[in-house]
Amino acid sequence: MFSDALDGGGIDVTTVIGVLSETVGTRNRQIEEILHLNLACLSQFRCLANLRKTSEGAEELVLSVSCRGYTDLDKLTALVEELLSVVSLYQPLVSADADGYASNPLLGAGQTTLSDELDGAMVFHL
């Protein structure tokens, strides 16, 4: 969804990834995995991941990017392409059930969660 930024200085592009599980344990695990993925992606992407309540009271994961200004079409195009590529990283986390994240393409054969992948990883901020 494209919308004017709240400050009126650009365009926000937002997409809903999905609704988190109603099961407390699974939802907590999904949130943990989303936080781990956010940390891993900080240096790579400009997307913002948010959890928000739906009108029914469920929690949904939303990704967004902001394009400051209205005239730089190349920048907006690049941000939208980045948003679309990041969706594929977050989608398996939201669609996961209590049995784990076996469909997540980020995980290796011996891993059952994204935190297994990130344990011992270092994040550098330049």
Side-chain angles (χ1 to χ4, degrees):
M1 173 175 72
F2 289 84
S3 61
D4 288 327
L6 292 177
D7 65 0
I11 298 172
D12 289 339
V13 183
T14 305
T15 186
V16 176
I17 302 300
V19 177
L20 300 184
S21 175
E22 292 181 13
T23 306
V24 174
T26 302
R27 183 176 55 246
N28 288 343
R29 187 169 166 201
Q30 287 172 317
I31 291 170
E32 179 183 342
E33 299 299 334
I34 290 166
L35 290 171
H36 280 114
L37 184 57
N38 281 340
L39 181 61
C41 292
L42 274 177
S43 64
Q44 300 284 326
F45 303 108
R46 296 164 285 187
C47 293
L48 176 65
N50 293 316
L51 291 178
R52 70 179 182 194
K53 294 275 187 190
T54 66
S55 57
E56 294 83 29
E59 287 181 295
E60 65 183 0
L61 176 62
V62 178
L63 291 180
S64 63
V65 291
S66 291
C67 183
R68 308 322 296 158
Y70 293 95
T71 58
D72 192 346
L73 185 57
D74 290 337
K75 180 180 177 184
L76 177 60
T77 301
L79 285 170
V80 170
E81 288 173 351
E82 181 177 306
L83 180 68
L84 293 174
S85 68
V86 172
V87 165
S88 65
L89 299 176
Y90 283 90
Q91 184 66 47
L93 300 180
V94 175
S95 61
D97 60 16
D99 293 332
Y101 300 87
S103 63
N104 191 324
L106 292 177
L107 302 179
Q111 299 155 330
T112 58
T113 67
L114 187 60
S115 60
D116 291 342
E117 172 77 12
L118 298 176
D119 279 348
M122 293 183 168
V123 176
F124 295 95
H125 183 70
L126 302 177

